[in-house]
PDB file of all heavy atoms in Angstrom:
ATOM      1  N   LEU Y 422     -34.403 -17.034  22.882  1.00 98.00           N
ATOM      2  CA  LEU Y 422     -33.251 -17.958  22.899  1.00 98.00           C
ATOM      3  C   LEU Y 422     -31.957 -17.187  23.445  1.00 98.00           C
ATOM      4  O   LEU Y 422     -31.271 -17.665  24.230  1.00 98.00           O
ATOM      5  CB  LEU Y 422     -32.928 -18.516  21.501  1.00 98.00           C
ATOM      6  CG  LEU Y 422     -33.855 -19.657  21.053  1.00 98.00           C
ATOM      7  CD1 LEU Y 422     -33.644 -19.894  19.588  1.00 98.00           C
ATOM      8  CD2 LEU Y 422     -33.521 -20.951  21.826  1.00 98.00           C
ATOM      9  N   TYR Y 423     -31.830 -15.923  22.972  1.00 98.00           N
ATOM     10  CA  TYR Y 423     -30.684 -15.152  23.460  1.00 98.00           C
ATOM     11  C   TYR Y 423     -30.885 -14.851  24.952  1.00 98.00           C
ATOM     12  O   TYR Y 423     -29.899 -14.842  25.706  1.00 98.00           O
ATOM     13  CB  TYR Y 423     -30.548 -13.875  22.640  1.00 98.00           C
ATOM     14  CG  TYR Y 423     -29.844 -14.126  21.333  1.00 98.00           C
ATOM     15  CD1 TYR Y 423     -30.328 -13.614  20.104  1.00 98.00           C
ATOM     16  CD2 TYR Y 423     -28.708 -14.888  21.240  1.00 98.00           C
ATOM     17  CE1 TYR Y 423     -29.729 -13.844  18.915  1.00 98.00           C
ATOM     18  CE2 TYR Y 423     -28.077 -15.163  20.072  1.00 98.00           C
ATOM     19  CZ  TYR Y 423     -28.574 -14.594  18.909  1.00 98.00           C
ATOM     20  OH  TYR Y 423     -27.967 -14.856  17.693  1.00 98.00           O
ATOM     21  N   GLY Y 424     -32.149 -14.611  25.348  1.00 98.00           N
ATOM     22  CA  GLY Y 424     -32.391 -14.401  26.737  1.00 98.00           C
ATOM     23  C   GLY Y 424     -31.968 -15.600  27.533  1.00 98.00           C
ATOM     24  O   GLY Y 424     -31.298 -15.543  28.601  1.00 98.00           O
ATOM     25  N   ARG Y 425     -32.202 -16.806  26.978  1.00 98.00           N
ATOM     26  CA  ARG Y 425     -31.743 -18.050  27.704  1.00 98.00           C
ATOM     27  C   ARG Y 425     -30.249 -18.172  27.733  1.00 98.00           C
ATOM     28  O   ARG Y 425     -29.675 -18.585  28.695  1.00 98.00           O
ATOM     29  CB  ARG Y 425     -32.378 -19.279  26.979  1.00 98.00           C
ATOM     30  CG  ARG Y 425     -32.164 -20.604  27.775  1.00 98.00           C
ATOM     31  CD  ARG Y 425     -33.050 -21.661  27.336  1.00 98.00           C
ATOM     32  NE  ARG Y 425     -33.018 -22.714  28.350  1.00 98.00           N
ATOM     33  CZ  ARG Y 425     -32.368 -23.845  28.199  1.00 98.00           C
ATOM     34  NH1 ARG Y 425     -31.691 -24.119  27.060  1.00 98.00           N
ATOM     35  NH2 ARG Y 425     -32.329 -24.787  29.151  1.00 98.00           N
ATOM     36  N   GLY Y 426     -29.626 -17.753  26.592  1.00 98.00           N
ATOM     37  CA  GLY Y 426     -28.170 -17.806  26.536  1.00 98.00           C
ATOM     38  C   GLY Y 426     -27.510 -16.960  27.660  1.00 98.00           C
ATOM     39  O   GLY Y 426     -26.605 -17.404  28.330  1.00 98.00           O
ATOM     40  N   LEU Y 427     -28.082 -15.713  27.809  1.00 98.00           N
ATOM     41  CA  LEU Y 427     -27.551 -14.938  28.871  1.00 98.00           C
ATOM     42  C   LEU Y 427     -27.865 -15.425  30.230  1.00 98.00           C
ATOM     43  O   LEU Y 427     -27.002 -15.431  31.169  1.00 98.00           O
ATOM     44  CB  LEU Y 427     -28.111 -13.482  28.766  1.00 98.00           C
ATOM     45  CG  LEU Y 427     -27.350 -12.474  27.805  1.00 98.00           C
ATOM     46  CD1 LEU Y 427     -25.979 -12.246  28.333  1.00 98.00           C
ATOM     47  CD2 LEU Y 427     -27.308 -12.935  26.408  1.00 98.00           C
ATOM     48  N   HIS Y 428     -29.054 -16.010  30.400  1.00 98.00           N
ATOM     49  CA  HIS Y 428     -29.531 -16.608  31.640  1.00 98.00           C
ATOM     50  C   HIS Y 428     -28.534 -17.738  32.021  1.00 98.00           C
ATOM     51  O   HIS Y 428     -28.087 -17.919  33.182  1.00 98.00           O
ATOM     52  CB  HIS Y 428     -30.914 -17.113  31.484  1.00 98.00           C
ATOM     53  CG  HIS Y 428     -31.417 -18.015  32.635  1.00 98.00           C
ATOM     54  ND1 HIS Y 428     -31.708 -17.545  33.869  1.00 98.00           N
ATOM     55  CD2 HIS Y 428     -31.566 -19.342  32.664  1.00 98.00           C
ATOM     56  CE1 HIS Y 428     -32.098 -18.566  34.586  1.00 98.00           C
ATOM     57  NE2 HIS Y 428     -32.016 -19.678  33.913  1.00 98.00           N
ATOM     58  N   LEU Y 429     -28.172 -18.523  31.004  1.00 98.00           N
ATOM     59  CA  LEU Y 429     -27.289 -19.719  31.270  1.00 98.00           C
ATOM     60  C   LEU Y 429     -25.859 -19.270  31.628  1.00 98.00           C
ATOM     61  O   LEU Y 429     -25.076 -19.998  32.200  1.00 98.00           O
ATOM     62  CB  LEU Y 429     -27.253 -20.625  30.072  1.00 98.00           C
ATOM     63  CG  LEU Y 429     -28.579 -21.447  29.784  1.00 98.00           C
ATOM     64  CD1 LEU Y 429     -28.503 -22.208  28.589  1.00 98.00           C
ATOM     65  CD2 LEU Y 429     -28.948 -22.305  31.042  1.00 98.00           C
ATOM     66  N   LEU Y 430     -25.548 -18.042  31.261  1.00 98.00           N
ATOM     67  CA  LEU Y 430     -24.221 -17.492  31.683  1.00 98.00           C
ATOM     68  C   LEU Y 430     -24.315 -16.900  33.102  1.00 98.00           C
ATOM     69  O   LEU Y 430     -23.311 -16.383  33.649  1.00 98.00           O
ATOM     70  CB  LEU Y 430     -23.828 -16.296  30.753  1.00 98.00           C
ATOM     71  CG  LEU Y 430     -23.311 -16.685  29.382  1.00 98.00           C
ATOM     72  CD1 LEU Y 430     -23.006 -15.454  28.551  1.00 98.00           C
ATOM     73  CD2 LEU Y 430     -22.155 -17.638  29.439  1.00 98.00           C
ATOM     74  N   GLY Y 431     -25.510 -17.002  33.727  1.00 98.00           N
ATOM     75  CA  GLY Y 431     -25.680 -16.637  35.135  1.00 98.00           C
ATOM     76  C   GLY Y 431     -26.111 -15.163  35.258  1.00 98.00           C
ATOM     77  O   GLY Y 431     -26.012 -14.595  36.377  1.00 98.00           O
ATOM     78  N   LEU Y 432     -26.509 -14.551  34.182  1.00 98.00           N
ATOM     79  CA  LEU Y 432     -26.851 -13.093  34.259  1.00 98.00           C
ATOM     80  C   LEU Y 432     -28.340 -12.979  34.397  1.00 98.00           C
ATOM     81  O   LEU Y 432     -29.130 -13.786  33.862  1.00 98.00           O
ATOM     82  CB  LEU Y 432     -26.387 -12.400  32.975  1.00 98.00           C
ATOM     83  CG  LEU Y 432     -24.889 -12.329  32.821  1.00 98.00           C
ATOM     84  CD1 LEU Y 432     -24.555 -11.969  31.399  1.00 98.00           C
ATOM     85  CD2 LEU Y 432     -24.297 -11.353  33.791  1.00 98.00           C
ATOM     86  N   PRO Y 433     -28.833 -11.982  35.143  1.00 98.00           N
ATOM     87  CA  PRO Y 433     -30.288 -11.794  35.266  1.00 98.00           C
ATOM     88  C   PRO Y 433     -30.905 -11.266  33.929  1.00 98.00           C
ATOM     89  O   PRO Y 433     -30.373 -10.348  33.376  1.00 98.00           O
ATOM     90  CB  PRO Y 433     -30.400 -10.697  36.413  1.00 98.00           C
ATOM     91  CG  PRO Y 433     -29.097  -9.976  36.389  1.00 98.00           C
ATOM     92  CD  PRO Y 433     -28.046 -10.969  35.879  1.00 98.00           C
TER      93      PRO Y 433
END
Side-chain angles (χ1 to χ4, degrees):
L422 284 166
Y423 282 132
R425 186 161 197 259
L427 271 297
H428 167 76
L429 292 176
L430 287 178
L432 294 165

